[in-house]
Each structure stands twice: as structure tokens, then as C-alpha cells.
Amino acid sequence: MHYNFIRIIFPFFLLFPLSGLSAVKHEVVHYQATDGHKMRGYISFSEKYPPPRPVVIVVHEWWGLNNYTKKRADMLAEAGYLAFAIDMYGQGKKAEHPDNAKKFAQEATQKWPVAQKRFQAALDTIKQHPKANKELIAAIGYCFGGGVVLQMARMGEPLTAVASFHGSLKPVKPAQATTLKAAIRVFNGADDKMITTDDISAIQKEMKQANADFKLYTYPNAKHSFTNPEADQIAKQFKLPIGYNAEADKDSWQKLLEFLAVQFERALPEPIPS
């Protein structure tokens, strides 16, 4: 299947303010999905590592492509990956209130074939990047994005690995052994009010029947959005059942890096001594 894209890259080579990320640089990329939506993504990479680099697509929370999502892309870049924080809403649209976030998320996923085309547009765009290893591509997502990457794996997208952080577990269509290509990891909070025990049992059964390379990690005392340091503030502002858990955040990130290293059949890169 072929797509027509409007793809303009604007490199701005901005040094990240933290010294540990000093070699990380960024590009803004404009592309277009076949549903007509013009998308604006964020590419991050480190010049410490030579191309081609394995690719990790990052799908945002329901708030949209914000600084939190970009930070995760920068962290992946520092680990040696070519990271692409993609846009599922169009034009980099972001929400400041849960009502708008819910509306944007519902609009983006009310027709999953359309959502899939938006994801495919991003996938095809990053494959054209000169630093990309087109054969080694993973996707991770947070909350809304976690549900998106799981659905993309279930729909047979050509991904090596998929990781969902506090994302929805319910399938639009269950995974099938004949179409599922990605190894899958799910990171879930034991106190996440948006995920039920039935949801967990169902995905475990689903993945077993699909013969998936699957593992689910559940963190005690962790709520929805446990990886986002701003979750406590957002919970207080909007009275949402979410919260940050530093221990779960750190452990799930380390497990992600280990997972990617295994799936890409490469050791974690050693940082250049400072």
C-alpha cells in the first residue's frame, strides 16, 4: 500500500538543557496521512551513535504531542535510538483540559482503520529518514498511546517490538498468530482505576492464544499515569485518579531498554565518557 506525503523537515539542532542529553538533537517533521490530516512529529537522535539506528516510535498520552512525550523521545535518543514522537491528532494539536483530551482521543480512534492510516503515515515517514534502520522499528505509547500501539500490533503492523505504559488493554480485534509480528510488553499499575482485573485476564488469554512473545508487569501502589512526573499535579487540578510513582517509572523504563536491546539483538550502547 502506498501513501502520498507532504514531508518537510525543519532541523533546529537545539542542545537539550540537561548535560546528560547534550548530544541529543531534534527535527520537526511535517507529513500527511491519507485521511487528509496534516501531522507534525518530533524526531530525536544523538550524534554520539552512528547511523543507521534502530527506530522507536513514541505515541503520546491523550493530552497530545506535548513536552512529556518529547522528553521520552529524547531519552530514547540518548540510549542510541532514532526516536519519533508522532502526532495522532493532526498539526501537533494538544489539550489543556480532560474534556478536550477525551474529545481528541475519541476523534482519533472512533474509526480504527483511520487511526491505522495515521500510524502508517508516521511509520512510512520515519523509514525515509537517513539515520533509520528500516528493518528494526519498535513502538511505545503512554495512556492513550499505549492503547494505540497495542492495537497497531494486533492489526499486524510490521513492528519488532511494542510496549504499552498504563494504556488501555481492550482489543478492537483480538491478536491473531497469523498476523501478530511484534513482541509485546505491558506496564500496568496495580492501582490503576481504568484497568480492571478482567482486562488483565483477557489480554493474557488473548496473547497466549496468539502465541505472542508477551509479558505484563504490574507495579504495586502505582496508579494510572505512573510514569509522568506531572501526574500528581494534574490529578489535583482536575480530580483525576492518576499519580506518579518514581520507583515504577524507573523500573519500567529500565525494563523497556532491556526489552528493546533483546528484540533488536544488540547490547545497550555504552555512553561516551565525559
Side-chain angles (χ1 to χ4, degrees):
M1 188 175 294
H2 299 281
Y3 300 96
N4 294 319
F5 298 98
I6 298 175
R7 184 176 184 272
I8 309 171
I9 296 181
F10 298 96
F12 50 93
F13 302 128
L14 175 67
L15 292 180
F16 201 81
L18 299 179
S19 59
L21 297 178
S22 61
V24 172
K25 296 185 177 181
H26 322 288
E27 296 172 356
V28 173
V29 58
H30 292 248
Y31 58 103
Q32 183 167 311
T34 54
D35 67 347
H37 272 70
K38 295 180 180 180
M39 325 302 283
R40 184 169 67 238
Y42 174 92
I43 295 174
S44 187
F45 58 89
S46 172
E47 291 193 329
K48 292 195 297 185
Y49 306 103
R53 303 306 304 160
V55 174
V56 183
I57 290 172
V58 186
V59 186
H60 52 76
E61 298 175 299
W62 72 341
W63 304 108
L65 181 49
N66 57 15
N67 288 336
Y68 172 71
T69 315
K70 293 175 183 178
K71 174 189 172 184
R72 290 297 179 180
D74 290 339
M75 291 169 67
L76 287 163
E78 180 66 13
Y81 299 103
L82 176 64
F84 187 22
I86 73 170
D87 175 14
M88 290 296 292
Y89 294 164
Q91 297 288 16
K93 184 166 58 178
K94 296 187 290 290
E96 301 296 336
H97 191 280
D99 290 346
N100 290 330
K102 181 178 181 180
K103 177 183 177 182
F104 294 162
Q106 289 177 338
E107 287 175 349
T109 58
Q110 62 181 343
K111 296 182 180 179
W112 276 101
V114 173
Q116 184 178 24
K117 289 178 180 178
R118 294 185 186 183
F119 185 88
Q120 288 172 335
L123 184 61
D124 287 353
T125 296
I126 198 61
K127 284 182 178 180
Q128 299 173 40
H129 196 281
K131 296 184 183 297
N133 185 327
K134 301 177 183 179
E135 305 303 319
L136 297 178
I137 302 178
I140 72 171
Y142 295 86
C143 302
F144 163 81
V148 168
V149 297
L150 280 178
Q151 300 302 348
M152 294 303 106
R154 286 163 167 141
M155 297 171 86
E157 288 300 314
L159 300 166
T160 302
V162 160
S164 171
F165 294 82
H166 39 84
S168 172
L169 305 182
K170 293 180 179 178
V172 175
K173 183 178 180 181
Q176 302 294 323
T178 54
T179 57
L180 184 65
K181 301 176 179 66
I184 297 174
R185 297 294 182 268
V186 168
F187 301 95
N188 183 63
D191 294 342
D192 191 332
K193 302 300 183 182
M194 303 180 194
I195 303 296
T196 68
T197 55
D198 287 344
D199 292 335
I200 293 173
S201 297
I203 194 171
Q204 290 174 327
K205 180 179 179 181
E206 173 195 358
M207 294 299 164
K208 183 177 181 179
Q209 291 177 341
N211 296 318
D213 179 346
F214 172 80
K215 190 167 184 178
L216 183 146
Y217 298 93
T218 299
Y219 292 97
N221 304 313
K223 299 179 181 179
H224 192 74
S225 295
F226 66 82
T227 64
N228 191 336
E230 297 181 0
D232 291 337
Q233 178 184 342
I234 295 171
K236 183 177 181 180
Q237 181 178 1
F238 297 112
K239 295 182 173 56
L240 296 175
I242 65 177
Y244 180 60
N245 184 306
E247 184 177 352
D249 177 22
K250 181 179 179 180
D251 186 79
S252 60
W253 186 257
Q254 182 59 36
K255 283 184 168 56
L256 170 69
L257 295 181
E258 293 168 357
F259 172 55
L260 294 176
V262 170
Q263 295 305 315
F264 289 145
E265 298 182 351
R266 56 183 283 280
L268 290 172
E270 292 293 331
I272 296 174
S274 56

